[in-house]
Amino acid sequence: MLLFTPGPTPVPQNVRNSMSDETMHHRTPEFEAIFEKTRTHLFKLFKTDEVIMLASSGTGAMEAAVINLCHNTLLSINSGKFGERFGKIALAHGLNNVEIKNEWDTPATVEEVEAALTQNPKIDAIAIQISESAGGLRHSVEAIAAAAKKLNPEIMIIADGITAVGVEAIDVTNIDALLAGSQKALMLPPGLSLLGLSNAAIEKIGSGKGYYLNLASEIKKQKQNTTAYTAATTLIIGLLEVLETIEAQGGVDALYERTALRAEAVREALKALGLHIYPKNPARSMTTIDDANASEIRKLLKEVYAVNVAGGQDHLKGKIFRINQMGLIHDYEMSWVVNAVELALDTLGRRAYDGTANKIFNEITFKIGN
Ligand SMILES: *Cc1c(COP(=O)(O)O)cnc(C)c1O
């Protein structure tokens, strides 16, 4: 079965092998050397002043960022389930929450954010997804962050890059916390989350908030190549292997280029079948199609063509399907996925199969034809 959900993503064979040794003790020079090497690679990936690893799923990094960087009112951008989660986290911790809510295909605008900040001067942090995985849209985080900092240079920008870090280059000039998670673009099993932090963020964190998610404790320890509590040793060993593999395949910029090309090839192939791209500004992490036959297409993909793609949640259940584009994906697998969608449409009597999806995908991927 080909796993083509936008998280979890497939773990490459060499990465699985790297994690198969006996469990290593975390308070040892051997593990600290691995931790240090991993940090060095992470600084190149995040381009932030500090990078912290936590033993938690992605939501742990979201909660850590909110409680440590927001001390009064959080402005959360809700164009989907993950944006909604930021607001819930703020409320769970007794913080105030102002929300900009849009349909899941619609990114927030700079004007909406400026208006919210002007009306609510107590907002001291903004939380936003770079790629909102619920509908597969890309928010204009960089423009929103720049506009917000212009109105209030002290404001903290929390950017959830769980389906963006490792997918595309992110300008972190105005970002204070950049979040990532192991099971999405980083091609690992779930259980490790990461936070890139700016120096301004570190200053605001001060002595930190919370206990397990207190970022001050982690910053202090991780600068010394260890962790406040037991590290997710196996996942960090796997992460080092992932980052070394990316490096060996030309580095992060080459990965971003291949991902951008793959995203374009998939979108164009599916559009050529008459399918509709759901988000108004699609992210490169995934292609989301809204379709009346979404459930039937997913079922055929899984049962007949051995391809597992994701559906929708909440009000989009049965109305969309989402195809992953993150990671070191083989072109021959991606090509099979778009071909399988075309075969499914034929089975449903929607469109006679003529190989269009594969033709377009390969023309774009291998720059052939016109
Ligand atoms: C998956 C995801 C999360 C949540 O991560 P968990 O690992 O499920 O806790 C948060 N934000 C985005 C954009 C995601 O795709």
Side-chain angles (χ1 to χ4, degrees):
M1 182 74 70
L2 292 179
L3 180 62
F4 265 84
T5 58
T9 59
V11 181
Q13 181 71 56
N14 64 312
V15 176
R16 296 203 299 272
N17 291 348
S18 76
M19 296 187 290
S20 66
D21 279 341
E22 273 186 43
T23 300
M24 196 182 256
H25 196 282
H26 55 293
R27 309 283 181 208
T28 55
E30 294 79 12
F31 183 67
E32 283 167 20
I34 291 171
F35 198 93
E36 184 176 11
K37 268 201 223 165
T38 310
R39 263 172 73 79
T40 306
H41 281 288
L42 286 176
F43 282 113
K44 279 193 251 171
L45 179 66
F46 279 73
K47 300 189 163 67
T48 49
D49 299 315
E50 184 53 83
V51 183
I52 294 300
M53 292 176 255
L54 296 175
S56 77
S57 85
T59 307
M62 294 171 77
E63 184 155 356
V66 169
I67 67 176
N68 285 273
L69 293 175
C70 179
H71 297 165
N72 190 307
T73 303
L74 181 76
L75 172 62
S76 53
I77 309 300
N78 175 357
S79 292
K81 203 144 185 81
F82 297 106
E84 177 187 64
R85 186 170 299 173
F86 270 131
K88 288 183 172 173
I89 291 170
L91 295 174
H93 287 277
L95 296 161
N96 301 313
N97 179 226
V98 174
E99 191 177 64
I100 294 173
K101 193 171 176 179
N102 281 302
E103 190 41 69
W104 291 14
D105 62 348
T106 308
T109 63
V110 170
E111 293 71 30
E112 283 172 322
V113 172
E114 285 173 337
L117 292 180
T118 310
Q119 278 165 32
N120 305 277
K122 288 195 167 155
I123 292 171
D124 64 328
I126 301 178
I128 182 169
Q129 273 60 40
I130 298 174
S131 153
E132 168 54 83
S133 316
L137 66 74
R138 173 70 158 86
H139 281 298
S140 301
V141 175
E142 293 89 341
I144 286 172
K149 291 266 184 187
K150 213 167 174 188
L151 285 175
N152 174 8
E154 307 277 285
I155 205 161
M156 289 285 116
I157 309 293
I158 300 166
D160 172 355
I162 293 175
T163 50
V165 175
V167 172
E168 57 173 313
I170 296 153
D171 177 4
V172 293
T173 311
N174 294 300
I175 290 176
D176 296 292
L178 177 61
L179 320 182
S182 55
Q183 81 277 24
K184 307 281 173 80
L186 298 177
M187 302 165 259
L188 288 165
L192 187 74
S193 72
L194 302 99
L195 291 110
L197 297 167
S198 69
N199 284 331
I202 294 170
E203 202 169 303
K204 181 154 185 188
I205 290 164
S207 57
K209 291 268 166 64
Y211 187 80
Y212 184 68
L213 298 177
N214 184 316
L215 290 175
S217 323
E218 289 298 345
I219 292 165
K220 184 167 165 246
K221 290 291 184 183
Q222 298 199 18
K223 276 187 191 300
Q224 302 162 39
N225 299 313
T226 187
T227 47
Y229 313 104
T230 304
T233 47
T234 306
L235 289 169
I236 293 170
I237 289 165
L239 177 59
L240 178 58
E241 182 72 16
V242 166
L243 298 171
E244 283 178 344
T245 306
I246 291 171
E247 198 75 26
Q249 296 191 12
V252 287
D253 292 327
L255 173 67
Y256 298 154
E257 254 175 58
R258 286 197 301 272
T259 307
L261 188 62
R262 181 183 308 127
E264 186 200 344
V266 172
R267 266 198 313 268
E268 293 308 316
L270 298 185
K271 278 187 343 202
L273 299 178
L275 293 172
H276 180 252
I277 308 288
Y278 173 67
K280 289 174 188 155
N281 184 28
R284 289 181 189 163
S285 51
M286 68 193 78
T287 289
T288 303
I289 299 293
D290 56 320
D291 194 280
N293 295 123
S295 291
E296 292 93 331
I297 293 171
R298 270 187 76 211
K299 194 164 184 284
L300 284 166
L301 287 178
K302 190 166 177 188
E303 291 175 2
V304 184
Y305 305 109
V307 176
N308 191 0
V309 301
Q313 292 168 290
D314 295 356
H315 64 296
L316 291 185
K317 200 168 169 31
K319 300 200 168 131
I320 59 167
F321 64 93
R322 296 173 293 153
I323 301 176
N324 174 53
Q325 282 146 199
M326 297 176 274
L328 296 162
I329 295 175
H330 296 295
D331 294 322
Y332 57 81
E333 289 186 347
M334 196 84 249
S335 168
W336 172 251
V337 173
V338 296
N339 182 57
V341 173
E342 182 172 350
L343 287 164
L345 291 179
D346 182 280
T347 306
L348 291 169
R350 289 260 303 262
R351 185 186 174 284
Y353 180 84
D354 60 6
T356 292
N358 246 329
K359 179 171 182 288
I360 303 285
F361 178 85
N362 288 305
E363 278 174 357
I364 293 173
T365 303
F366 300 104
K367 299 187 169 64
I368 48 179
N370 46 61

